[in-house]
Amino acid sequence: MSDTPFGFGLPPEEPENGDEGKKKDQQSGGGQGPANPSGFGFPGAGGADADNPLAAMFGSLNPTDLGAAFQQLGQMLSYEGGPVNWDMAKQIARQTVSQGAPNGTKDASVSSGERSAVEEAVRLADLWLDGATSLPSGAGSAVAWSRAEWVEATLPVWKELVDPVAERVGTAMGDVLPEEMQAMAGPLIGMMRSMGGAMFGTQIGQAVGMLAGEVVGSTDIGLPLGPAGKAALLPLNIEAFGKDLGVPKEEVRLYLALREAAHQRLFAHVPWLRSHLFGAVEGYARGIKVDTAKLEDVVGQFDPQNPEELQQALQQGMFQPEDTPEQKAALARLETALALVEGWVDAVVHSAAKPRLASADALRETLRRRRATGGPAEQTFATLIGLELRPRRLRDASRLWASLTDARGVDGRDGLWAHPDMLPTASDLDDPDGFVHREQLDFSELDKMLGEAATGSAGQPDLKKDTDGDGKGSEGGKDDETE
């Protein structure tokens, strides 16, 4: 979890005059000091006259911030959309990006030189991958994104991930009130849900904005966040990633291009994989329950003038996975799916890079550790939606794919992606040798037979419907009683 508090006010702007500007701002009462990290000057935030409600709420804000505060409060109370206010999420994400990453780097437009370097790296990566996998290239184009462009391109996918869990919170916020009060508290419930959507939007926006400062491409978390067929890298983040590795930046860029291009091949040529992964996420989300005790406590003390309480509850997390066999199975499916994707990419990229890059082993280990631990933003998402998108068994999966390559060759290994039932399971990761040497079912002939049967039945008599015992069946799907 990041130490950075999530708030509703606009993130503080960088003063033009450095430290001198900060001092001047604090002396004049403007800006946001450490005593008020939430951005709004609600009662109890400090620095305001408690006898004057308006001063208590807005006394610490300068006129520019005051207008922004009223605008944002209006957005919170008037929102009538889904469980997350995604307009606000986008706005907060862009603002977070504009403030710079924790490492001090500021977002910047991609230069033509950086764009050309990314395109060349992806082109070369695809050439190297041709000998490491039977799956053809999946990148129709290669793009270099700024952090802000990454936010714009990936928000639609975050919506798919977050909305199911956020919907549970929106429903729970009304359900925790006693039934006799719900009819009387209709407007309050509506306002609470609007504010809940805005608060979720604020925090998701913060997390997406933070993650934009960490990611190096569009597939860092193992899910296809960007548009299909578009390999994307972030030059600014790649430079920050490789800064202290002691590896030439061209090699770092090329290794990350290999990973991005490998992900693109997998998602482009395994048509069921995307829905399989998102279905696993949704299946796990269905088993997450809201900590109603915590929510009841927050709602019971809810003060419309102090929405920070509800915000803090969301920030601290109020989700608990149900301890049921179904939920455990859903978690195992999700963890296995993520591990298989990342393990395959790890094995294929290593096969392509090892003979060509002196730094291949060091970069591989760095990326493995990075995926295993996750950054602050990934931890934030785990708190907000009760879900960690980490391949816990990455090393096991990578060893299994490598063993499959040795035993069955590249075609035999990649052929397992033809059908989801052919993939290794969680127990197979425990016994990779047993899986590697086990006879695998070949679903290709079965799919072919089913396809031919479906095609043939379209214009042929259905002999399965032999209702009169003459062996001819019924023509055109009609039975004798209707003729």
Side-chain angles (χ1 to χ4, degrees):
M1 189 70 191
S2 172
D3 293 332
T4 304
F6 294 150
F8 292 96
L10 301 181
E13 297 291 338
E14 286 291 325
E16 295 181 0
N17 299 324
D19 293 337
E20 183 178 343
K22 291 181 182 178
K23 294 177 181 178
K24 180 180 179 182
D25 193 42
Q26 292 170 358
Q27 291 170 357
S28 63
Q32 298 166 342
N36 181 15
S38 65
F40 273 145
F42 288 102
D49 183 359
D51 295 331
N52 185 340
L54 289 178
M57 291 183 68
F58 303 115
S60 64
L61 301 177
N62 61 40
T64 302
D65 290 339
L66 180 61
F70 272 121
Q71 181 182 12
Q72 203 161 25
L73 182 60
Q75 289 176 348
M76 289 172 58
L77 298 180
S78 63
Y79 176 68
E80 297 179 351
V84 177
N85 187 333
W86 286 102
D87 290 337
M88 181 169 286
K90 178 179 176 180
Q91 175 188 351
I92 297 297
R94 293 293 299 264
Q95 292 170 353
T96 302
V97 164
S98 70
Q99 298 307 302
N103 61 16
T105 59
K106 296 278 190 178
D107 195 22
S109 299
V110 177
S111 69
S112 58
E114 290 172 330
R115 189 173 294 107
S116 297
V118 166
E119 292 172 352
E120 177 62 22
V122 172
R123 185 194 65 79
L124 184 56
D126 258 335
L127 287 176
W128 289 6
L129 289 172
D130 284 340
T133 174
S134 61
L135 299 181
S137 174
S141 62
V143 294
W145 282 342
S146 66
R147 293 167 181 169
E149 289 172 325
W150 183 89
V151 168
E152 295 279 351
T154 62
L155 272 179
V157 179
W158 290 120
K159 188 175 188 298
E160 289 186 57
L161 288 172
V162 174
D163 271 354
V165 179
E167 181 67 44
R168 288 179 169 273
V169 177
T171 301
M173 288 177 74
D175 292 344
V176 295
L177 289 176
E179 187 174 345
E180 61 273 13
M181 291 183 59
Q182 291 189 17
M184 302 172 56
L188 176 60
I189 293 175
M191 183 178 69
M192 288 172 59
R193 286 180 174 170
S194 294
M195 296 185 71
M199 292 172 188
F200 244 113
T202 298
Q203 294 186 297
I204 292 299
Q206 283 271 10
V208 169
M210 288 171 57
L211 195 57
E214 300 173 9
V215 296
V216 294
S218 70
T219 54
D220 272 28
I221 66 167
L223 297 174
L225 296 179
K230 185 172 289 187
L233 295 175
L234 283 72
L236 180 61
N237 291 359
I238 291 175
E239 184 175 351
F241 169 78
K243 183 178 180 181
D244 299 321
L245 296 181
V247 177
K249 63 180 182 181
E250 292 80 9
E251 290 193 21
V252 174
R253 184 194 304 118
L254 183 52
Y255 193 88
L256 296 176
L258 281 165
R259 289 183 53 83
E260 178 74 11
H263 276 104
Q264 293 294 334
R265 289 186 181 225
L266 196 57
F267 288 115
H269 300 292
V270 183
W272 53 265
L273 181 57
R274 187 183 192 278
S275 59
H276 180 75
L277 281 170
F278 279 79
V281 172
E282 186 176 353
Y284 180 71
R286 280 197 301 267
I288 295 176
K289 62 181 180 180
V290 178
D291 186 346
T292 53
K294 181 181 291 187
L295 189 58
E296 284 177 3
D297 183 59
V298 173
V299 172
Q301 304 176 26
F302 179 71
D303 179 1
Q305 289 187 325
N306 192 6
E308 293 143 314
E309 293 177 359
L310 188 56
Q311 177 200 7
Q312 290 167 1
L314 288 174
Q315 180 178 338
Q316 294 167 2
M318 57 175 65
F319 305 106
Q320 298 174 338
E322 291 186 281
D323 188 18
T324 63
E326 293 79 12
Q327 180 68 349
K328 290 178 180 178
L331 179 60
R333 285 194 299 272
L334 175 58
E335 289 182 341
T336 302
L338 289 171
L340 289 176
V341 169
E342 289 297 287
W344 183 88
V345 168
D346 180 76
V348 168
V349 168
H350 185 69
S351 175
K354 176 69 172 175
R356 300 176 174 94
L357 292 179
S359 57
D361 288 333
L363 289 170
R364 182 191 203 188
E365 185 60 26
T366 300
L367 266 298
R368 279 181 166 185
R369 292 179 180 178
R370 187 173 187 261
R371 284 296 287 126
T373 58
E378 281 192 60
Q379 296 166 26
T380 298
F381 274 111
T383 301
L384 288 177
I385 65 176
L387 177 63
E388 291 185 358
L389 297 173
R390 299 182 198 167
R392 296 178 184 275
R393 309 196 64 181
L394 167 59
R395 294 177 187 270
D396 294 335
S398 182
R399 281 194 293 268
L400 187 146
W401 288 118
S403 297
L404 282 168
T405 307
D406 295 337
R408 305 184 186 183
V410 169
D411 291 343
R413 177 201 66 199
D414 295 346
L416 295 179
W417 291 106
H419 196 284
D421 291 342
M422 297 176 68
L423 287 178
T425 63
S427 60
D428 292 325
L429 295 180
D430 296 327
D431 181 22
D433 290 337
F435 178 83
V436 168
H437 300 291
R438 185 189 313 155
E439 281 296 324
Q440 294 293 309
L441 296 175
D442 186 356
F443 285 84
S444 59
E445 288 300 319
L446 176 60
D447 289 341
K448 181 179 179 182
M449 291 170 60
L450 291 175
E452 290 175 349
T455 303
S457 65
Q460 299 295 331
D462 188 353
L463 298 182
K464 294 181 181 179
K465 296 183 179 179
D466 184 12
T467 57
D468 54 10
D470 60 3
K472 298 180 180 179
S474 300
E475 295 285 346
K478 299 178 182 179
D479 55 37
D480 294 339
E481 294 179 357
T482 59
E483 291 185 350

